[in-house]
Structures are given as structure tokens and as C-alpha cells.
Amino acid sequence: MRPVSIIGVGMIPFGKYPEKDTADLAWPAIKQAMEDAGTDRDDIGIAYCGSVYGGMMIGQRTLTRLGMTGKPIINVENACSSSSSAFHQAHMAVASGAYDVALVFGVDKLSQFGGGTIPLVDEDWEISQGMLMPALYAMRACRYMHETGLTTEQLAGVSVKARAMGAHNPDAQFQKEISLEEVMNARPIADPFTLLHCCPTGDGAAAAVICAGDVAHKFEAAPIKILASDLCTGTYLTGYRDMTVPEITVRGASEAYEEAGVGPEDIDVAEIHDAFTIAELLYYEAFGFCGRGEAIRLLEDGVTSIGGAKPVNPSGGLLSKGHPVGATGIAQITEITRQLRGSCGARQVEGARTGLAHATGGGAMGMDHGACSIHILQR
Amino acid sequence: MAMDQRAGHLEPGHVIAGDAGLHLKGGACASCGALAFPKPAICSGCLSEDIADAPLAGGGVLYAYSVIHVGRRPDLPYAVGYVDLADGVRVFTELTRTDGLCPDMKVAIEISPEAEGYRFNAAPVEAV
């Protein structure tokens, strides 16, 4: 396997575009990433598309608009990890030597459902019994609060921090700060979550161009190195399971750190999967940014805010930037790439050299999550 | 029917009569002994397809819960939770009430006949 670098990224501002086709959400992000990379269409050897609700051949339907046909196009569905899983596949395709340059993008249009919780597959017995993603995360919160003494008010602080970060991101779905009272007093969804503990539904697309490390300089003066590309699946259990320790992310983090040759202390900036407030805290601990039960201290001490020692979700995260599920993984990688380039303006993490992106999801009975993909990048 | 409107309804195949009335019907692997619910066609542990019907424990402890305020059901809010049954199986179920709930409290599984199957949920058996 050979080194691989990111040479271009792009995304459209996340939001609601009910009048657009899914494919029309995606092509502007791809064009932006291609221009950012300085690649021509003929440079791309293979393309991957991550999407959950884009439907059959969403990759092909998108790339026909850009006249990028003939080469292999592969569609990847892995719930919230769809485009990060696609990125993992693209990385393998280039690292193996099979292709020199690959395009990977993610897109989804949740506005087609008109709001509410995302549709799940009711062949799964728990889902047939009414399991909803907010309920799943809410039970994690319930148990974590029971075991550690975390309060609902403290939990609400995660959203306040996310919105404060997103306020500086022109690509975020929400670009306005909110108060603790607004989070606490929003309408209830699944206790202890009010609406503002939950990521919004929305539409979006993001794209990246990756390239073999030894030819990256032809396109980009300062390519971003991919130190680790990890993908794993939750361990299936029929019995008891500790919902306060997300085993899939703990395992993935361990694999990614080993592959990259770095540890949690080396991560300067991270984009992690904060689909609901509790997730951000569980993942601080899963990534080893702090010990068990200490996550709220990191948040309240400002360690994970811009200017802190370990900024997390400077883009605003899923809670503020938005979570068009299939687009999320590449949008996180786009943010980390821009952070490592130093091009993030008011939300820039000064001097960031090594960053991490983490997308996990998929409600599946007996698993913490269906999929988890972690990437560690370095300038 | 919307999936969240079917919550609490069990198809007849998920219920079995046991010593103490109706029980959730799990599967016990005849080869390795693993217990699972719903009863699987194949044991995910040892791949044996010899799975026996197993009446699951009628009670356990509430591991975690949430009161749900959204969705298409007419009876909002309602509560759901994970119950850790005494025989080692975890079951996702609706709870009989939305107040006075606490993790680790004892609950009993209640199953009663209704149209085209059974109604099931978990009822707290002690005060918080």
C-alpha cells in the first residue's frame, strides 16, 4: 500500500433545497473539489458516491451532468457512514496502486421526507417495534446520566457550543448562536432531548479528490496526507451491552491511531459524529480525549471550543452544520482538510497539523452502530 | 401502517405459553446454548440451524428508557426502554407508564391477546 493524499475538497452549504434533484445538489460540490484540486475530468480514474436516500445509480445520475462517464462509478450505502465508507474504498483503490486519482462524494436530500425522524428499515425487529434514532441516542443519554450524574442542563451545553462554532461557518445549516435556555425550552422529542439536542434534517453534498502521494505535487502544492483510513462494523450481541461505551468507535479509534502512528494527544482538531448531544460526550471518551465520566469537564472548560487545547467540531458539527446523512463523512473530511490548510477564517484552529474525522451510524438491532469510519489527516 | 404505530404489537410467532402464562418466544441454540430474541433461523454464534423454542424470563431490570413525544401515534407521549431479562437477553419494549421510571428498576413483561397477535410491554414492579 502506498501513501495517499487529499488534493481537493468542496461542499455546498447544507440546508433545504426541496426544489432540486439529489443529483443537482451533488455536482456543484464535485466541480468545486475538482477546481480546488486542479484536476481535469480525464485525471479521475474511478469515482465513488456515498448516499442513503439518493436512489439507484445516484453516482451515475450525478456524474452524467458533468460529462464524467465511462470510468467506474461505485455507489456506497452505509447509513451515516456512507460517504466516509466510500472515501475508505477510494483510499484503498489508490493506495493499492490500481488508480492514481479518485473522486469521492456524498449526497443526500432529506427534505424529500418533509421533516421528522429519518426512515429506517423495519425488517429490523426493534425498528418494527418503534425504535427511532432519537430514542436510541436518548437511551444512551439516560444510562450515561444515571451512571455519571450528568444533568440535562449540562447535556444542553453541547448544542450551545455547536451552534457557537457553526455561527462562523458559511456552509452550516444553522449560523446563529443559541442560549442554554433555548435548548432547554425547545419542544420535547425523546427525553432528555428537546429538538435542539438533535441534528436537523436537511440536504447537502460534499466531494473530495484524492491522489497517490508521489504524484500529488503535480496538482497541489500542499497536499493533505491520509495517515489512517479505518472502517469497521459494530459487534453483534444478543444480550446485555454497555450503551455508555460506544464499542464500535472505541475499536475504530484504536485501529486508526495504530495505523496513523499517532495517539489522542496528537489530534489538533476533530470532527466527530454529534448526531445528538450525548454523542459528542461519549465520543470524547471513546477517542481518549479524556477518561470515563470526564467529557463534560472538557466541554465546560472550553477545551473542545475554538481556542481550547482540543477543538472538536469547529464546523458546528452535525448539530449546527447539519446532517444530510450520506454527505456527512466527506463534509467532515472537507472541514478537516480546510482546517489543516489554515483556510477556515474565524473558526480556524491555529496551527492545526493533525486532524480526525469520524462518521458512525446505522440503527441495527444488537449493534452499537452498523458502521463507523475514521480518518486521520495531516498536513 | 407506520412503524411507530405498530410498537407494542407482537405477531403470534413471537409468543409462547409457559409455566407462568405467556412468554416472549426466544430461540435457544441446541448446539451451543446461545439464547436470542426474536428466535433466529440460525445461531449467529455457531451457525447451527437447530434452534429450540425458549420461553424467555418474565421479568428483569430496566437498563435505559426514553419518553417519546414525536411521531404519528395518537397516544403521545409514550415510553420505550431496554429491559435486561433475567436470562441474559435484552429486549426493546414499550413501558406501561411515562413517569416514575428509573434505570435499574425491576420490571415485568406483560403479554395479553389482542387482534392478530398480542400486546406486550414492560411494567415497573417497584416504586422509584
Side-chain angles (χ1 to χ4, degrees):
Chain A
M1 302 287 268
R2 58 181 175 168
V4 182
S5 296
I6 297 170
I7 55 174
V9 291
M11 68 182 285
I12 64 166
F14 284 2
K16 296 202 174 179
Y17 305 94
E19 73 288 359
K20 284 187 189 288
D21 287 345
T22 305
D24 284 325
L25 296 173
W27 69 256
I30 297 167
K31 188 169 184 228
Q32 191 187 121
M34 296 276 287
E35 288 171 355
D36 185 39
T39 43
D40 293 326
R41 290 177 291 183
D42 291 345
D43 294 320
I44 304 295
I46 188 167
Y48 293 83
C49 173
S51 185
V52 180
Y53 301 110
M56 193 183 288
M57 302 281 112
I58 178 60
Q60 284 85 340
R61 283 187 278 122
T62 300
L63 290 173
T64 50
R65 284 161 165 75
L66 296 170
M68 295 175 67
T69 53
K71 305 271 182 68
I73 300 171
I74 297 153
N75 297 290
V76 177
E77 185 279 302
N78 234 357
C80 305
S81 310
S82 291
S83 64
S84 51
S85 297
F87 191 92
H88 176 74
Q89 297 297 303
H91 175 265
M92 281 204 297
V94 176
S96 69
Y99 297 91
D100 279 342
V101 184
L103 167 71
V104 52
F105 64 103
V107 62
D108 256 315
K109 179 185 166 182
L110 301 186
S111 67
Q112 66 185 292
F113 302 117
T117 61
I118 57 172
L120 303 173
V121 178
D122 66 356
E123 268 196 13
D124 182 293
W125 190 81
E126 287 186 351
I127 291 165
S128 79
Q129 287 294 313
M131 178 66 89
L132 307 167
M133 293 312 289
L136 181 65
Y137 281 90
M139 287 192 286
R140 290 177 181 145
C142 168
R143 188 71 201 184
Y144 186 89
M145 292 165 77
H146 177 69
E147 292 187 11
T148 67
L150 180 81
T151 67
T152 306
E153 192 164 19
Q154 287 179 307
L155 191 56
V158 173
S159 262
V160 174
K161 175 219 150 216
R163 294 293 187 100
M165 305 274 228
H168 301 293
N169 183 358
D171 290 330
Q173 187 163 345
F174 296 126
Q175 298 178 31
K176 186 168 162 285
E177 297 200 16
I178 51 174
S179 68
L180 195 64
E181 291 68 32
E182 287 174 277
V183 181
M184 296 292 289
N185 296 330
R187 70 184 169 94
I189 300 292
D191 295 347
F193 300 154
T194 65
L195 182 67
L196 298 181
H197 284 256
C198 311
C199 64
T201 56
D203 312 328
V209 181
I210 67 172
C211 177
D214 55 351
V215 290
H217 64 272
K218 285 201 310 191
F219 301 104
E220 164 66 48
I224 299 297
K225 296 189 284 287
I226 303 169
L227 296 190
S229 176
D230 188 75
L231 175 63
C232 64
T233 298
T235 302
Y236 177 73
L237 294 172
T238 60
Y240 305 165
R241 184 161 40 90
D242 185 349
M243 292 181 79
T244 68
V245 178
E247 74 84 22
I248 186 173
T249 294
V250 171
R251 197 155 34 84
S254 167
E255 291 170 0
Y257 286 145
E258 184 178 345
E259 182 181 341
V262 304
E265 66 282 3
D266 299 309
I267 302 300
D268 300 314
V269 57
E271 287 280 315
I272 64 177
H273 201 88
D274 60 329
F276 298 86
T277 47
I278 187 63
E280 171 135 341
L281 300 181
L282 296 182
Y283 296 141
Y284 289 175
E285 297 176 9
F287 278 106
F289 297 160
C290 64
R292 160 78 178 178
E294 295 170 359
I296 191 64
R297 287 264 56 81
L298 291 196
L299 182 82
E300 292 182 344
D301 291 349
V303 173
T304 52
S305 294
I306 302 285
K310 188 76 73 186
V312 174
N313 291 333
S315 71
L318 280 57
L319 287 168
S320 188
K321 184 182 63 205
H323 182 32
V325 287
T328 284
I330 303 298
Q332 292 174 325
I333 286 169
T334 294
E335 174 71 13
I336 295 297
T337 297
R338 289 173 174 169
Q339 287 286 347
L340 300 182
R341 287 172 171 175
S343 63
C344 285
R347 68 180 194 284
Q348 179 63 42
V349 175
E350 287 307 321
R353 177 168 176 265
T354 306
L356 177 154
H358 162 249
T360 183
M365 180 174 174
M367 288 176 169
D368 179 67
H369 272 305
C372 176
S373 186
I374 297 169
H375 288 89
I376 298 178
L377 312 178
Q378 192 172 68
R379 69 173 154 89
Chain B
M1 195 187 294
M3 56 185 93
D4 52 354
Q5 291 174 313
R6 239 176 14 228
H9 177 78
L10 283 176
E11 302 295 323
H14 290 308
V15 174
I16 189 171
D19 299 339
L22 298 174
H23 293 256
L24 293 173
K25 186 173 85 178
C29 175
S31 177
C32 75
L35 199 56
F37 177 81
K39 180 188 172 184
I42 182 169
C43 174
S44 65
C46 73
L47 305 188
S48 167
E49 295 178 41
D50 188 2
I51 313 288
D53 289 353
L56 297 184
V61 298
L62 182 63
Y63 177 76
Y65 71 94
S66 178
V67 177
I68 311 297
H69 300 267
V70 295
R72 288 154 293 198
R73 284 176 50 156
D75 57 339
L76 298 173
Y78 62 98
V80 296
Y82 274 126
V83 172
D84 286 348
L85 298 177
D87 49 24
V89 172
R90 175 172 291 178
V91 176
F92 176 69
T93 178
E94 189 169 338
L95 302 165
T96 53
R97 64 184 199 217
T98 57
D99 60 343
L101 299 171
C102 180
D104 292 337
M105 74 191 311
K106 286 185 182 159
V107 296
I109 299 292
E110 296 184 339
I111 300 173
S112 57
E114 68 172 9
E116 297 171 42
Y118 298 88
R119 178 93 197 150
F120 100 113
N121 50 35
V125 294
E126 60 182 349
V128 177

